[in-house]
Amino acid sequence: MELQVPDVPLLKIFSFLDAFSLLQASQVNRGWNRVAENDQLWRSLCLKKWSLCNFSGCLGSQTWKRLFLQQTKLEHRMAAVKNALFSYGPMAYLSGCGHTVGAQEKSVLCTVSSKHKLYAWDVQEGTMIWSSPVQQSSIMRLATLPQMHLAFTVDLEGTVKVWNCQDEDALATLTMPWTCFSLEICLTNDGPFLMVGNAEGDIYTLTVPELRGVSKVNAFKYSVDLLHCSPDKKWIFASGTHQNILPVVFLTESLLKPSEGKSPLSLSIPFSSCCRACWAPRRTSRITVMYRRGSCKKTGFTTFELMAKRMGDRTDMQARQIATFLLPLHMESPIWMGVGDGNTVVFESGPSLFLFTISGHLLQRFEDHQRTIGNLWVDPVHVLTTSTDDSLHLYMWDEEGRYPHLKSCCHLEHVGNDPAPNIL
């Protein structure tokens, strides 16, 4: 490279390169390396690749090149969990659900409206791509199975339906004998199964998509309000919000392959008044429970480690409490919660978002919403909050340091009568 190209024309030439070519050019010599580090080049690449994002909250003191590389790394992590089930309240997010545009998969968000309808939205375009017919009763619960491009609903009358979010009619329908309060999908080596908890304390296990019965277990005297399958599909956590109920953890296999005359293998967790629970995504036998107790309704979090050992012809199950803490009385009690790596818990309180260690040490507080946070969704890559004013905020996990922490990324607001959100 005897020829020395001046910086200005070289910068213009480099502006036509993609990121990989620019990184290669930076290794030619010191002069090219200096020009290839130009912040405007990497800013252009960021805006070209992620045109819908506002990076003002993400950049901080770092360079645009470092931000580009970090975002690309996050995309690889997102790809690793893209078929995970993300659901919260009346929404369920199918990442890479199989709807295609050219060679690219769309990301599709399923939502439920007060008009008794199920909707599917193209996240990138912000447009509705499908809606169900109006249902006879309010849809109470929603779950998704991205690997089979399916959504599951249960309404106020106990009618369970399977949808492919393309056809007008449901693929399968099953009317349960009682009102259903919980819905969970479990994708195992033997195939997918749907678990439904009802008002009588029963847990039904059904095949997918046919909704044929596999097993029925009476877990409580009261309703089954919470059903959560562990990330490795080994455990099923079940609980009600009644103060006299102790949560129960089942071995999933004993629900999927019931033995005649034998009760499924289970373990009661000695902690009543449970109102939420979340499995740690990377510590598959660790679960954090949120509870409320006493006349003041004190809110606390307790984390358990579960173990199962084969002892001859029987299995011994144990739950060991590893951490617990109470929130201050002045703090508004949260409704939603999630966990990070197993050592942190994230929850809302009014319009604020908090990140604590499982032992009760405050790590972060965010105040990105003007009104009360109405829903919270947590996965290994993102934390998503929505508020009562129809605004949405996206955070991403950063694992540098002793504990993972959150970075604020973008904010969306619903403006006027426009059904599509606006990115701010």
Side-chain angles (χ1 to χ4, degrees), residues 220-280:
F220 312 112
K221 294 181 180 179
Y222 306 94
S223 61
V224 181
D225 301 300
L226 304 173
L227 276 177
H228 298 295
C229 184
S230 64
D232 62 355
K233 317 305 178 189
K234 182 178 180 179
W235 316 92
I236 297 292
F237 175 91
S239 183
T241 55
H242 193 280
Q243 62 182 1
N244 293 330
I245 288 181
L246 296 180
V248 174
V249 177
F250 294 92
L251 275 179
T252 305
E253 186 178 9
S254 65
L255 293 177
L256 302 183
K257 300 176 181 178
S259 299
E260 189 174 352
K262 291 185 178 180
S263 299
L265 294 172
S266 63
L267 170 71
S268 292
I269 295 181
F271 233 82
S272 62
S273 304
C274 170
C275 52
R276 294 286 174 190
C278 288
W279 293 97

Side-chain angles (χ1 to χ4, degrees), residues 247-353:
V248 174
V249 177
F250 294 92
L251 275 179
T252 305
E253 186 178 9
S254 65
L255 293 177
L256 302 183
K257 300 176 181 178
S259 299
E260 189 174 352
K262 291 185 178 180
S263 299
L265 294 172
S266 63
L267 170 71
S268 292
I269 295 181
F271 233 82
S272 62
S273 304
C274 170
C275 52
R276 294 286 174 190
C278 288
W279 293 97
R282 295 172 189 164
R283 301 193 179 191
T284 54
S285 295
R286 181 172 293 189
I287 190 167
T288 298
V289 173
M290 182 170 76
Y291 63 90
R292 292 194 183 93
R293 285 184 182 168
S295 57
C296 297
K297 292 294 181 181
K298 293 181 180 179
T299 301
F301 297 87
T302 298
T303 302
F304 295 91
E305 196 81 44
L306 300 176
M307 294 163 283
K309 294 182 180 179
R310 292 286 298 180
M311 312 224 6
D313 59 349
R314 66 186 183 91
T315 301
D316 183 34
M317 299 174 62
Q318 297 180 358
R320 179 172 61 92
Q321 180 179 315
I322 59 174
T324 187
F325 72 97
L326 283 171
L327 294 182
L329 286 176
H330 63 79
M331 183 178 288
E332 184 178 341
S333 294
I335 304 297
W336 304 96
M337 65 162 288
V339 295
D341 63 342
N343 291 315
T344 54
V345 56
V346 59
F347 58 87
E348 42 65 47
S349 179
S352 302
L353 182 71

Side-chain angles (χ1 to χ4, degrees), residues 17-301:
L17 300 180
D18 59 25
F20 180 73
S21 300
L22 190 57
L23 289 171
Q24 286 185 312
S26 68
Q27 300 178 46
V28 171
N29 57 42
R30 291 182 180 179
W32 283 34
N33 180 270
R34 185 185 70 256
V35 176
E37 292 288 324
N38 186 281
D39 230 25
Q40 288 302 313
L41 292 174
W42 291 98
R43 180 179 181 275
S44 296
L45 289 171
C46 284
L47 297 179
K48 186 183 298 183
K49 187 170 184 179
W50 301 289
S51 58
L52 294 178
C53 288
N54 179 357
F55 289 102
S56 59
C58 298
L59 190 59
S61 59
Q62 65 184 327
T63 64
W64 283 96
K65 177 183 177 181
R66 180 170 175 79
L67 178 62
F68 183 94
L69 297 177
Q70 284 185 341
Q71 292 293 114
T72 302
K73 181 181 178 181
L74 279 172
E75 282 195 344
H76 288 304
R77 287 173 56 200
M78 290 166 66
V81 298
K82 75 173 187 176
N83 285 325
L85 169 66
F86 303 126
S87 63
Y88 59 102
M91 291 189 185
Y93 183 64
L94 285 74
S95 181
C97 74
H99 298 269
T100 60
V101 177
Q104 292 186 334
E105 281 189 316
K106 289 184 180 181
S107 292
V108 176
L109 178 73
C110 292
T111 65
V112 169
S113 77
S114 57
K115 298 179 180 179
H116 303 184
K117 295 179 72 175
L118 174 66
Y119 297 91
W121 299 81
D122 181 334
V123 175
Q124 280 84 1
E125 298 294 332
T127 56
M128 185 181 69
I129 59 176
W130 175 86
S131 66
S132 71
V134 176
Q135 303 300 291
Q136 292 184 353
S137 184
S138 298
I139 298 175
M140 303 299 294
R141 293 291 181 269
L142 169 65
T144 55
L145 181 59
Q147 295 87 344
M148 294 180 65
H149 319 150
L150 298 177
F152 305 82
T153 59
V154 61
D155 65 22
L156 191 60
E157 296 178 354
T159 303
V160 181
K161 292 187 176 183
V162 185
W163 308 88
N164 63 8
C165 295
Q166 295 179 6
D167 298 328
E168 180 178 354
D169 296 328
L171 299 180
T173 301
L174 177 66
T175 300
M176 308 296 286
W178 300 95
T179 302
C180 301
F181 289 93
S182 51
L183 205 61
E184 177 72 325
I185 284 287
C186 186
L187 183 59
T188 71
N189 293 333
D190 296 317
F193 296 88
L194 179 67
M195 297 182 180
V196 183
N198 71 9
E200 292 294 293
D202 299 321
I203 300 174
Y204 288 83
T205 302
L206 310 170
T207 62
V208 172
E210 304 86 1
L211 298 182
R212 290 197 298 265
V214 175
S215 67
K216 173 190 173 184
V217 174
N218 183 256
F220 312 112
K221 294 181 180 179
Y222 306 94
S223 61
V224 181
D225 301 300
L226 304 173
L227 276 177
H228 298 295
C229 184
S230 64
D232 62 355
K233 317 305 178 189
K234 182 178 180 179
W235 316 92
I236 297 292
F237 175 91
S239 183
T241 55
H242 193 280
Q243 62 182 1
N244 293 330
I245 288 181
L246 296 180
V248 174
V249 177
F250 294 92
L251 275 179
T252 305
E253 186 178 9
S254 65
L255 293 177
L256 302 183
K257 300 176 181 178
S259 299
E260 189 174 352
K262 291 185 178 180
S263 299
L265 294 172
S266 63
L267 170 71
S268 292
I269 295 181
F271 233 82
S272 62
S273 304
C274 170
C275 52
R276 294 286 174 190
C278 288
W279 293 97
R282 295 172 189 164
R283 301 193 179 191
T284 54
S285 295
R286 181 172 293 189
I287 190 167
T288 298
V289 173
M290 182 170 76
Y291 63 90
R292 292 194 183 93
R293 285 184 182 168
S295 57
C296 297
K297 292 294 181 181
K298 293 181 180 179
T299 301
F301 297 87

Side-chain angles (χ1 to χ4, degrees), residues 324-394:
T324 187
F325 72 97
L326 283 171
L327 294 182
L329 286 176
H330 63 79
M331 183 178 288
E332 184 178 341
S333 294
I335 304 297
W336 304 96
M337 65 162 288
V339 295
D341 63 342
N343 291 315
T344 54
V345 56
V346 59
F347 58 87
E348 42 65 47
S349 179
S352 302
L353 182 71
F354 292 88
L355 180 65
F356 276 75
T357 68
I358 58 174
S359 299
H361 175 62
L362 175 62
L363 297 176
Q364 287 178 290
R365 175 175 179 169
F366 297 91
E367 298 183 354
D368 296 301
H369 290 284
Q370 297 297 318
R371 296 188 182 179
T372 300
I373 295 174
N375 273 304
L376 172 69
W377 160 39
V378 181
D379 69 45
V381 178
H382 315 88
V383 171
L384 182 69
T385 56
T386 61
S387 73
T388 53
D389 61 1
D390 291 332
S391 66
L392 178 150
H393 203 90
L394 176 66

